[in-house]
Amino acid sequence: MPTIETPTVSKSGITTNASGERHIPASKRADGSTRKEIRVRPGYRPPEDVEVYKNRTAEAWKNRGKGGVPGAELLNTESDTSKASGTANKNAKRREARRKAAATVTEEESKEKHANSTSKEIQDTGDIPQPVDPELEKEKEAKKLLKKLRQARELKDKKDKGDALLPEQFEKVIKINELIRQLEGLGFDSSGEKKIQT
């Protein structure tokens, strides 16, 4: 009885006969028509059939950590696996204990911070809300305006000497009259002295 050799098929679909001829077999299209068989010239290798070069070092680097220690045999016996899982269990328990310890420390710190902040609020506010003195507020505002006015006058002097000013500095110089008006509105003159009201 003669043996019938089955043709070999490559990744790209090229079939090789027993006689060595290569071809792409006939097939049916989606619309029902048939494609003819296509002969492939000798020596042609389509890109799908070309083997990709694999660098063993690069492959080992990609697979590092997956196979354990290089060159070591895998643990096949049950006793070995139970030892390994016992170690893993111990490590898991240690990690869990560390997490719990860290959680309790953070809870204690947050409680302590909360207690400190509430005690400070009680000390600051007391039971009686403190009244705000309007004269004191006016003096604070006047001090701020005087500082701005002093800076603006210094910049104006620089400008008068011929120094170049930045746009922000020039805006401060322009606001001198506005600052003086605000001071007068609070009851102070441009030097910061309180006006005597008659």
Side-chain angles (χ1 to χ4, degrees):
M1 209 167 164
T3 58
I4 301 172
E5 290 186 27
T6 57
T8 58
V9 180
S10 68
K11 290 180 185 175
S12 62
I14 296 175
T15 308
T16 307
N17 295 5
S19 61
E21 291 180 356
R22 298 169 62 213
H23 64 278
I24 298 172
S27 61
K28 284 207 169 205
R29 294 189 183 103
D31 63 356
S33 61
T34 53
R35 283 188 197 90
K36 294 181 185 177
E37 183 178 285
I38 303 170
R39 285 191 337 171
V40 179
R41 71 172 188 261
Y44 174 73
R45 287 179 70 184
E48 295 89 8
D49 290 347
V50 176
E51 292 179 15
V52 179
Y53 171 75
K54 292 185 180 178
N55 185 341
R56 285 187 293 161
T57 309
E59 285 295 314
W61 180 254
K62 277 187 203 171
N63 297 329
R64 70 188 183 283
K66 293 181 183 173
V69 179
E73 294 181 18
L74 295 175
L75 302 172
N76 293 330
T77 62
E78 289 181 18
S79 61
D80 290 343
T81 55
S82 65
K83 286 179 187 175
S85 63
T87 307
N89 288 338
K90 284 181 185 176
N91 289 338
K93 286 178 184 177
R94 286 181 186 148
R95 281 193 296 272
E96 187 62 31
R98 282 189 208 122
R99 277 193 214 114
K100 286 180 182 177
T104 55
V105 167
T106 54
E107 284 178 19
E108 289 172 4
E109 287 176 354
S110 63
K111 286 179 184 177
E112 200 173 295
K113 285 180 184 177
H114 181 69
N116 289 342
S117 64
T118 53
S119 64
K120 283 180 184 176
E121 287 174 7
I122 292 169
Q123 289 173 359
D124 291 345
T125 57
D127 295 333
I128 305 164
Q130 301 195 357
V132 178
D133 185 18
E135 288 297 317
L136 190 62
E137 291 297 317
K138 281 184 182 180
E139 286 180 20
K140 284 183 182 179
E141 188 65 29
K143 284 183 181 179
K144 289 179 190 175
L145 291 172
L146 281 169
K147 183 178 179 183
K148 288 182 183 179
L149 184 63
R150 186 177 8 105
Q151 289 174 347
R153 285 180 175 160
E154 288 172 4
L155 290 172
K156 185 179 179 190
D157 291 341
K158 278 187 181 180
K159 182 183 166 234
D160 291 342
K161 289 178 185 174
D163 292 347
L165 296 179
L166 296 172
E168 307 90 47
Q169 293 172 330
F170 193 71
E171 287 175 15
K172 288 180 182 179
V173 171
I174 293 172
K175 291 183 181 178
I176 289 177
N177 290 332
E178 183 182 332
L179 292 170
I180 292 171
R181 261 186 267 129
Q182 288 177 355
L183 276 170
E184 288 174 353
L186 291 172
F188 291 87
D189 62 2
S190 61
S191 63
E193 298 295 324
K194 198 166 190 178
K195 289 184 179 179
I196 301 169
Q197 296 177 350
T198 56

